[in-house]
Amino acid sequence: MNPIKLKENVYWVGEIDWDLRNFHGYLTQRGTTYNAYLILDEKITLIDTVRPYLYDRMMQRLSRLIDPSRIHYIVSNHVEMDHSGSLPLLMETAKNATIITSPHGQKGLLAHYKRNDWNVKVVKTDETVSIGRKSMKFVLTPLVHWPDNMVSYLVEDNILFSNDAFGQHIASSERFDDDYPLDISVDEAKKYYANIVLPYSSQVQKAMDALSPLAISMIAPSHGIVWRSHVNAIVAEYKKWSSNKVENRCLVIYDTMWKSTEKIAYGIQEVFESMGIPTKMMNLRKNHISDIIADILTAKFICVGSPTLNSNMLPTVAGFLTYLRGLSPKNRIGLAFGSYGWGGQAVGHVEDILKECGFQMLQGIQVQYIPDNAQLQEIGNTLKQEILGVGGSSVS
Ligand code: FEO
């Protein structure tokens, strides 16, 4: 319940959501935090808030530092309700506070909370606001990942309050990257990027360019741990992820009815592995789509299999493909496969969606009923040639 000091007069006053396991469809096995930050200066400044059900706890935490009615500025970096959700409650206490937000933030807050009586100061990129001895600079980062997004920079302390960017869904009492296992933090940041930020990769690159003149010694995101010892490393990861650069890896993602599509799936795995391409099997009944997307972030070959059910693909596969299409990863090579009894429409449907994703497609694989060893051998030989045709064994 204590505030945690980031730097002199700068504190984390957010909340830990230990129980959260699903964030609008994203599986959050490790829970999350909603990070709010308090800067003690002549004009006391709060950066973002928490979900309303954690409001009381946030207020208890920050009341250990100040009387909340003295908050002068509330920076709303992002309208999404995990960060702005407590504003209506907070504004009842900090009645004279001014909300600092982007132009889209102003519209978004009004649309969400229908309050015309709040003091709102709209800022634009590179605008600086003095809060006393220190000053805040703002950079609009539209569509990373909502139109209203902006980041805030505490000039004298070189802290970037990056909101969702660089965040991770991790609930922990540790607050800093050097207190918590780095591999988990980076993996969760990768999963976060893949599931939330990926469609906006070109906007991420623009935002990184806009931020490049700033000296950043600490990145304080709105979820998870604060980066202070590995700032360059996480920035490098963001540059890689936003560039859509992929590794020579393969994912075989499938569901199966009577194990025939699964037999083809394992046949495909054998071919890729025989060519030295690491391949991961991802049965849609055993893996959550948000975990699969994290792997897709860096994999070049995406093979998707479904048997035909009622002239279509299985609902698990359809759900996954709908999610994938929305996240629109680029520069992938796709393959559709599956078994069928009669009709056999599933592979065509899968292929159509992978094409809509912009994937370069390998020749689809279909087998009626149960594939035997001779059929799998033939499929393997053809597939090998296809992979060589796209430079598969030497692509990196
Ligand atoms: Fe953490 Fe886009 O909200």
Side-chain angles (χ1 to χ4, degrees):
M1 195 57 75
N2 279 329
I4 294 174
K5 189 173 175 178
L6 268 61
K7 291 202 178 179
E8 202 57 40
N9 291 323
V10 183
Y11 292 88
W12 176 85
V13 291
E15 275 310 318
I16 304 168
D17 195 339
W18 298 100
D19 290 347
L20 189 82
R21 291 294 177 272
N22 190 310
F23 193 97
H24 53 54
Y26 172 153
L27 192 69
T28 51
Q29 295 99 323
R30 291 191 164 90
T32 196
T33 63
Y34 312 104
N35 296 340
Y37 301 95
L38 191 70
I39 305 167
L40 303 182
D41 207 327
E42 289 159 26
K43 294 173 179 168
I44 294 169
T45 300
L46 179 70
I47 299 173
D48 291 319
T49 68
V50 298
R51 289 177 86 158
Y53 58 80
L54 292 166
Y55 171 75
D56 289 343
R57 290 178 59 84
M58 178 187 82
M59 292 304 270
Q60 286 172 43
R61 195 186 295 276
L62 69 81
S63 295
R64 295 186 177 187
L65 291 168
I66 51 143
D67 169 358
S69 68
R70 292 178 53 221
I71 293 172
H72 187 95
Y73 285 131
I74 303 168
V75 176
S76 176
N77 278 325
H78 180 26
V79 174
E80 195 163 11
M81 288 175 288
D82 48 334
H83 309 299
S84 74
S86 288
L87 272 179
L89 292 165
L90 181 59
M91 291 301 279
E92 293 299 313
T93 299
K95 291 183 192 303
N96 298 316
T98 296
I99 298 169
I100 298 179
T101 191
S102 67
H104 279 292
Q106 183 186 33
K107 287 182 200 151
L109 291 175
L110 180 62
H112 276 71
Y113 304 114
K114 326 290 184 207
R115 295 294 298 260
N116 276 313
D117 55 329
W118 291 347
N119 299 323
V120 176
K121 178 177 175 54
V122 174
V123 288
K124 54 187 188 303
T125 285
D126 285 339
E127 191 164 337
T128 300
V129 173
S130 170
I131 58 171
R133 294 177 302 281
K134 297 180 184 177
S135 51
M136 302 287 307
K137 186 174 188 149
F138 303 96
V139 176
L140 306 193
T141 53
L143 287 171
V144 182
H145 65 126
W146 277 24
D148 52 82
N149 278 100
M150 68 176 193
V151 297
S152 310
Y153 178 67
L154 187 56
V155 177
E156 290 73 13
D157 288 325
N158 304 126
I159 305 176
L160 181 73
F161 299 96
S162 60
N163 198 265
D164 282 337
F166 305 105
Q168 342 86 44
H169 283 313
I170 295 173
S172 68
S173 53
E174 294 91 342
R175 284 276 58 78
F176 297 101
D177 56 352
D178 41 45
D179 291 335
Y180 194 80
L182 182 62
D183 55 340
I184 297 177
S185 302
V186 173
D187 268 1
E188 289 293 344
K190 180 183 178 188
K191 181 174 175 181
Y192 193 96
Y193 189 96
N195 282 278
I196 305 281
V197 188
L198 178 58
Y200 311 105
S201 289
S202 62
Q203 286 89 348
V204 170
Q205 293 195 324
K206 280 185 199 145
M208 304 272 272
D209 287 345
L211 295 172
S212 60
L214 303 180
I216 297 170
S217 65
M218 185 180 283
I219 298 177
S222 58
H223 298 287
I225 59 96
V226 171
W227 305 95
R228 67 176 178 189
S229 294
H230 302 284
V231 169
N232 290 342
I234 193 62
V235 168
E237 293 291 349
Y238 255 62
K239 283 186 179 160
K240 183 175 77 186
W241 299 332
S242 63
S243 71
N244 266 295
K245 273 189 191 143
V246 287
E247 295 165 13
N248 200 26
R249 298 182 161 277
C250 174
L251 300 180
V252 182
I253 302 152
Y254 68 96
D255 196 354
T256 194
M257 199 187 304
W258 290 105
K259 302 274 184 194
S260 294
T261 297
E262 187 168 71
K263 274 190 179 168
I264 304 171
Y266 276 88
I268 290 169
Q269 180 209 22
E270 249 186 81
V271 174
F272 277 96
E273 286 200 343
S274 73
M275 299 176 78
I277 300 170
T279 303
K280 190 167 177 179
M281 305 300 289
M282 305 199 90
N283 182 336
L284 279 159
R285 302 229 188 149
K286 311 290 181 187
N287 295 276
H288 194 268
I289 55 174
S290 59
D291 288 321
I292 295 174
I293 292 294
D295 277 306
I296 282 181
L297 189 61
T298 46
K300 184 180 186 70
F301 293 96
I302 313 297
C303 310
V304 181
S306 175
T308 295
L309 173 75
N310 301 330
S311 310
N312 218 313
M313 64 187 95
L314 288 178
T316 44
V317 182
F320 162 71
L321 287 172
T322 301
Y323 194 57
L324 176 72
R325 182 170 46 193
L327 290 166
S328 57
K330 305 281 188 294
N331 305 333
R332 275 30 176 216
I333 295 175
L335 168 67
F337 66 94
S339 81
Y340 68 102
W342 61 99
Q345 296 90 338
V347 168
H349 290 321
V350 170
E351 206 156 46
D352 286 346
I353 298 179
L354 293 177
K355 279 182 190 163
E356 277 180 48
C357 293
F359 291 8
Q360 179 185 348
M361 296 302 296
L362 303 178
Q363 191 184 317
I365 297 169
Q366 287 208 88
V367 177
Q368 190 172 25
Y369 293 119
I370 304 167
D372 62 22
N373 288 341
Q375 285 171 306
L376 289 173
Q377 185 67 47
E378 195 183 322
I379 287 167
N381 291 341
T382 307
L383 178 57
K384 201 167 186 172
Q385 292 311 311
E386 290 256 309
I387 296 166
L388 286 170
V390 293
S393 58
S394 59
V395 181
S396 61

